Amino acid sequence: MYLATTGRPDAPPAPSGVRRRVPGTVLALGAVSLVTDVSSEMVTAVLPLYLVLGLGLSPLQFGLLDGLTTGATALVRLLGGATADRGGRHKTVGGLGYALSAASRLGLLVAGGATGWIAGSLAADRLGKGVRTAPRDALITLHSPPEDLGRAFGVHRAMDTTGALLGPLAAFALLWATADAYDAVFAVSFCVGSFGVLLWLLLVPGRTRHARVARPVVPRPPRARGGFLGAPKSPGYRRIVLCAGLLGAATVGDAFLYLLLQRRTGLDPTWFPFLPLGAAAVFLLLAVPAGRLADRLGRRGPLLYGHGALLLAYGLLLTPLPDAAVLPGVLVLLGTFYAATDGVLMALTGPFLTEGRQAGGLALVQTVQALARVGAAVAFGALWTASGPDTALAGALLALAVAVCCSARLLPRGLAVPAGHAAPEPSERTD
């Protein structure tokens, strides 16, 4: 049964001018993500600096390390999603992912300069993220009306991004107070991540089959059989999966963009951890408005326009404009990209998934996107090493332009779902 047909189509419309509250579960998940992102972004903010400028890794080595650790999440995303869907074990599976990510900070703490230990710790962190992401997003889908999914994901992503803002600030403060002691950053990150696990255990509901969203009693068709990959059969869902791969294969990782900005502007490495703050601030400001706009006008447009913003960011790095314009411009465009795509992609996908397969279906989209970004990271690092950063960036710009054009033709044309109105069948959204 499609979520679009079960999400309150017969419920009375909300009174004019009255805004429905964001479900409590979404706020609880946002609080957990906020704390966890403080922990993870403390490490992420200093890691490129630590590996490339501190340990002396080449761009190709960094690309391989980043790509391989990201690729390590592929299988566990699918397994995590399938396991979470069986019996509604979203809290158990998601909690294991959060715990694994928190524990990975201990690995960084004892790694020293050993690249193998660092790679293993990063892989553990990415594995934890891969395990938890689909169950968490499935909980948002299950506890939110389909017509409000864009706003629900926007609120969650805004809270998540608040942690992304605080994390680099905490990392910079620790490095300043401890005279560049990276071990202090890793230790505090572990403590904060452990607190996030505690919040997950205390605040997030343990069962999801009876999500607190008013749903009419309607006859239900038989549940899909044949494994979690056999459930999402609609052409619209398949197109979304394909486009997620196309767009992901042309997406340069944030770490590379920040390194390019540092190289282009000659920014003092001391200020490097602050670069993600600009993009995160824009993401925080635009996530909820972008989600509401997607609910009102359709989710396809914001997804495409968001990748258009990333395309402009690539181009801006190649222009001869002054550094004073390039630095804030790239950060604003990068933040706009995430605000218009991160939660919106999940909100676009949700109504195409059969009941009981939400986590598995979302996991497949996330996995295809992650694997595509692995290839993008390795290819960009190799091209940078062989031909220089400008050539690599020009290639990424061309690839992204082609991917956006193809996706504009392939993505299902989602319709706006006004409050209190029936959502159209997913089959009606595919042309």
Side-chain angles (χ1 to χ4, degrees):
M1 174 180 297
Y2 290 104
L3 290 178
T5 65
T6 63
R8 298 180 70 179
D10 300 324
S16 178
V18 175
R19 183 176 297 170
R20 286 185 295 273
R21 294 181 178 179
V22 177
T25 299
V26 175
L27 297 177
L29 292 168
V32 174
S33 293
L34 188 157
V35 173
T36 302
D37 242 34
V38 172
S39 171
S40 62
E41 292 302 322
M42 287 178 66
V43 175
T44 302
V46 302
L47 202 59
L49 188 68
Y50 179 55
L51 295 179
V52 176
L53 301 183
L55 299 183
L57 269 65
S58 71
L60 176 58
Q61 289 174 315
F62 179 75
L64 286 170
L65 183 60
D66 184 68
L68 291 175
T69 54
T70 300
T73 67
L75 180 60
V76 296
R77 282 179 189 266
L78 297 176
L79 293 178
T83 303
D85 281 334
R86 294 183 180 180
R89 294 192 289 264
H90 300 90
K91 179 173 182 177
T92 301
V93 175
L96 290 174
Y98 280 103
L100 182 58
S101 290
S104 71
R105 313 293 183 234
L106 292 178
L108 289 172
L109 192 60
V110 302
T115 305
W117 272 96
I118 293 172
S121 299
L122 294 179
D125 177 52
R126 300 294 175 87
L127 287 172
K129 184 174 182 179
V131 167
R132 70 177 185 256
T133 300
R136 182 203 65 201
D137 286 350
L139 284 171
I140 296 174
T141 301
L142 288 166
H143 287 264
S144 305
E147 65 269 22
D148 288 338
L149 274 177
R151 184 179 68 148
F153 276 102
V155 169
H156 174 270
R157 288 339 192 229
M159 297 179 71
D160 182 270
T161 306
T162 301
L165 279 168
L166 297 176
L169 286 174
F172 180 82
L174 279 171
L175 288 178
W176 177 81
T178 60
D180 295 337
Y182 288 94
D183 286 353
V185 175
F186 301 148
V188 174
S189 174
F190 167 72
C191 295
V192 176
S194 299
F195 180 60
V197 176
L198 179 62
L199 289 180
W200 176 273
L201 295 174
L202 295 177
L203 300 180
V204 177
R207 303 291 292 180
T208 62
R209 286 185 175 181
H210 304 289
R212 295 184 179 181
V213 175
R215 299 180 187 271
V217 178
V218 293
R220 298 189 176 192
R223 292 167 64 93
R225 298 179 181 274
F228 73 97
L229 292 180
K233 294 293 188 181
S234 74
Y237 176 81
R238 291 172 175 172
R239 293 183 187 185
I240 291 171
V241 173
L242 176 59
C243 291
L246 286 174
L247 295 168
T251 301
V252 175
D254 294 356
F256 275 123
L257 289 181
Y258 296 142
L259 287 171
L260 286 168
L261 271 177
Q262 193 273 337
R263 174 185 174 275
R264 162 72 186 268
T265 62
L267 186 70
D268 190 312
T270 304
W271 298 99
F272 189 87
F274 279 100
L275 286 179
L277 296 183
V282 176
F283 188 0
L284 176 61
L285 291 174
L286 297 183
V288 176
R292 288 177 178 165
L293 185 66
D295 287 337
R296 185 176 180 84
L297 302 179
R299 293 155 190 163
R300 175 180 176 274
L303 187 65
L304 293 172
Y305 293 140
H307 283 88
L310 183 62
L311 189 68
L312 291 176
Y314 292 176
L316 193 57
L317 281 167
L318 292 171
T319 64
L321 291 174
D323 294 342
V326 172
L327 180 59
V330 170
L331 296 179
V332 167
L333 289 169
L334 185 60
T336 303
F337 159 67
Y338 279 112
T341 61
D342 190 10
V344 172
L345 177 59
M346 296 297 98
L348 174 65
T349 306
F352 292 89
L353 300 176
T354 53
E355 187 169 342
R357 306 297 190 189
Q358 292 90 351
L362 294 175
L364 182 58
V365 174
Q366 295 162 357
T367 297
V368 169
Q369 185 180 62
L371 288 176
R373 288 180 175 179
V374 169
V378 175
F380 188 85
L383 192 56
W384 182 344
T385 302
S387 304
D390 290 345
T391 301
L393 194 57
L397 188 150
L398 178 61
L400 183 57
V402 172
V404 169
C405 291
C406 292
S407 297
R409 297 186 60 87
L410 291 172
L411 279 174
R413 298 182 180 274
L415 303 177
V417 185
H421 288 68
E425 290 283 349
S427 59
E428 296 174 345
R429 301 178 180 222
T430 58
D431 45 52

